[in-house]
């Protein structure tokens, strides 16, 4: 059974419409899929409708931006009731913060001599929730940098000038939104934060304390040793385990929908938490 509980559509920084995401997941024989766009549920209705017509077990999800100890941390919410009023008003606030942040990123880049980045990124984002990848695309288009990863390595990535994160809420708050919406909170891609082992343990301790339910033991094409390491931590801290490709774009072939290694045997899969009720929430 192929399970993929983390991916993006055009509603945030993905390249495909929610319908195309579901069609691709179906073609790749994914049997359970969660769409987890950054700070938005705008793609969930279309994804649900497509999942129903294709017979894919669809789990409504989200990836919330938060901060902890000065680090930008992503928390995935799974099996959420996407129309929950507290969640929708919180997302309205997140969207507002994204807009204010985008203006600040634009100002900072302008100071370095890169003009028009805010306007350019806005145009590329269109109706999507704006994020740093839209800035990266504009900077490539303008020839300010040679490619997307250079844009992040030099200007937009962690610790760089365009990494504006102090507006995001803390872990406790985003976990609460997810729980109020009937969902389960998953610490996304724990290897991506590049924390020391000590600091990672502190993060897991704090995530547990605020009621976090699971961690992404498998994220994309990560090394097997890393998976084993997170599986052991998952057991030690008594979390459920999740897995997802973090798919954004069909051009990145190493990261496709459903291309996710199986969870190690010692893990308790996060979908045990919702069982068939999660599918019911999606209207299946
Ligand atoms: P934002 O949601 O605006 O904070 O932007 C975060 C998104 O930028 C992530 O979800 C990735 O899609 C992308 N991203 C972050 N770091 C990198 C990187 N080093 N290279 C390419 N894309 C990245
Ligand atoms: Mn992204
Ligand atoms: Mn993320
Ligand atoms: Mn993601």
């Amino acid at each position: 059974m192929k399970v993929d509980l983390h991916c993006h559509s055009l509603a945030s920084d993905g390249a495909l419409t929610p319908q195309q995401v579901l069609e691709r997941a179906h073609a790749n024989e994914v049997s359970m899929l969660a769409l987890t766009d950054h700070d938005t549920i705008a793609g969930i209705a279309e994804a649900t409708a497509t999942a129903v017509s294709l017979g894919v077990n669809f789990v409504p999800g989200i990836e919330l931006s938060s901060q902890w100890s000065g680090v930008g941390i992503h928390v995935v919410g799974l099996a959420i009731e996407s129309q929950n009023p507290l969640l929708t008003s919180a997302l309205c606030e997140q969207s507002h913060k994204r807009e204010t942040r985008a203006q600040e990123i634009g100002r900072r880049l302008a100071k370095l001599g890169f003009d028009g980045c805010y306007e350019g990124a806005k145009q590329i984002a269109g109706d999507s929730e704006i994020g740093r990848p839209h800035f990266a695309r504009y900077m490539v288009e303008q020839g300010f940098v040679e490619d997307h990863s250079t844009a992040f390595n030099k200007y937009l990535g962690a610790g760089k000038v365009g990494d504006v994160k102090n507006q995001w809420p803390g872990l406790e708050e985003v976990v609460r939104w997810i729980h109020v919406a009937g969902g389960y909170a998953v610490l996304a891609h724990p290897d991506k934060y590049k924390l020391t082992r000590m600091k990672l343990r502190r993060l897991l301790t704090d995530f547990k304390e605020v009621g976090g339910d699971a961690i992404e033991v498998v994220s994309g094409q990560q090394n097997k040793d890393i998976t084993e390491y997170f599986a052991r931590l998952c057991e030690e801290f008594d979390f459920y385990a999740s897995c997802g490709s973090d798919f954004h774009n069909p051009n990145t072939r190493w990261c496709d929908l459903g291309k996710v290694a199986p969870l190690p045997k010692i893990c308790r899969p996060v979908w045990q938490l919702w069982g068939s009720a999660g599918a019911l929430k999606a209207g299946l």
Side-chain angles (χ1 to χ4, degrees), residues 159-214:
K160 304 296 174 192
V161 67
D163 177 29
V164 184
K165 59 181 177 290
N166 49 8
Q167 72 289 338
W168 297 132
L171 287 180
E172 188 169 5
E173 196 159 4
V174 298
V175 168
R176 188 172 65 89
W177 298 341
I178 292 167
H179 284 165
V180 169
Y184 302 97
V186 183
L187 180 71
H189 45 60
D191 190 45
K192 278 216 185 129
Y193 311 118
K194 301 296 167 208
L195 303 175
T196 61
R197 291 193 166 212
M198 278 279 283
K199 201 162 177 187
L200 176 67
R201 294 183 73 86
R202 263 184 49 218
L203 171 61
L204 295 179
T205 305
D206 289 356
F207 188 60
K208 187 81 195 174
E209 208 170 284
V210 300
D213 301 290

Side-chain angles (χ1 to χ4, degrees), residues 6-8 13 36 38 63 74 76 188-189 192 246-248:
H6 186 153
C7 69
H8 299 271
D13 58 1
T36 57
H38 297 284
E63 182 173 17
H74 288 175
V76 160
H189 45 60
K192 278 216 185 129
D246 207 357
F247 169 85
H248 284 74

Side-chain angles (χ1 to χ4, degrees), residues 59-62 76-87 174-185 213 270 273-275 277-279 281:
V59 181
I62 192 148
V76 160
L78 294 176
I80 50 166
E81 294 149 11
S82 55
Q83 298 306 323
N84 176 274
L86 177 95
L87 181 66
V174 298
V175 168
R176 188 172 65 89
W177 298 341
I178 292 167
H179 284 165
V180 169
Y184 302 97
D213 301 290
V270 67
L273 285 169
W274 62 79
K281 276 182 201 161

Side-chain angles (χ1 to χ4, degrees), residues 32-206:
M32 190 192 292
L33 184 90
L35 178 66
T36 57
D37 274 307
H38 297 284
D39 300 305
T40 180
I41 47 100
I44 298 295
E46 182 181 315
T48 304
T50 314
V52 171
S53 71
L54 294 173
V56 175
N57 186 353
F58 178 67
V59 181
I62 192 148
E63 182 173 17
L64 293 168
S65 308
S66 75
Q67 59 164 337
W68 169 87
S69 269
V71 187
I73 300 287
H74 288 175
V75 178
V76 160
L78 294 176
I80 50 166
E81 294 149 11
S82 55
Q83 298 306 323
N84 176 274
L86 177 95
L87 181 66
T88 45
S89 80
L91 293 181
C92 206
E93 189 60 27
Q94 289 288 89
S95 178
H96 181 68
K97 286 178 173 169
R98 276 190 173 269
E99 170 59 28
T100 316
R101 178 180 79 145
Q103 292 170 11
E104 174 63 16
I105 294 173
R107 273 194 293 275
R108 291 184 181 194
L109 292 173
K111 273 195 189 154
L112 297 180
F114 301 125
D115 288 328
C117 289
Y118 168 71
E119 293 76 11
K122 278 295 273 188
Q123 191 164 17
I124 289 170
D127 290 335
S128 312
E129 206 52 57
I130 193 165
R132 286 176 284 169
H134 303 114
F135 281 87
R137 265 180 61 193
Y138 180 75
M139 293 179 85
V140 175
E141 275 177 25
Q142 292 299 303
F144 295 159
V145 286
E146 67 244 41
D147 55 31
H148 199 86
S149 53
T150 310
F152 272 91
N153 292 340
K154 283 192 169 169
Y155 304 110
L156 298 166
K160 304 296 174 192
V161 67
D163 177 29
V164 184
K165 59 181 177 290
N166 49 8
Q167 72 289 338
W168 297 132
L171 287 180
E172 188 169 5
E173 196 159 4
V174 298
V175 168
R176 188 172 65 89
W177 298 341
I178 292 167
H179 284 165
V180 169
Y184 302 97
V186 183
L187 180 71
H189 45 60
D191 190 45
K192 278 216 185 129
Y193 311 118
K194 301 296 167 208
L195 303 175
T196 61
R197 291 193 166 212
M198 278 279 283
K199 201 162 177 187
L200 176 67
R201 294 183 73 86
R202 263 184 49 218
L203 171 61
L204 295 179
T205 305
D206 289 356

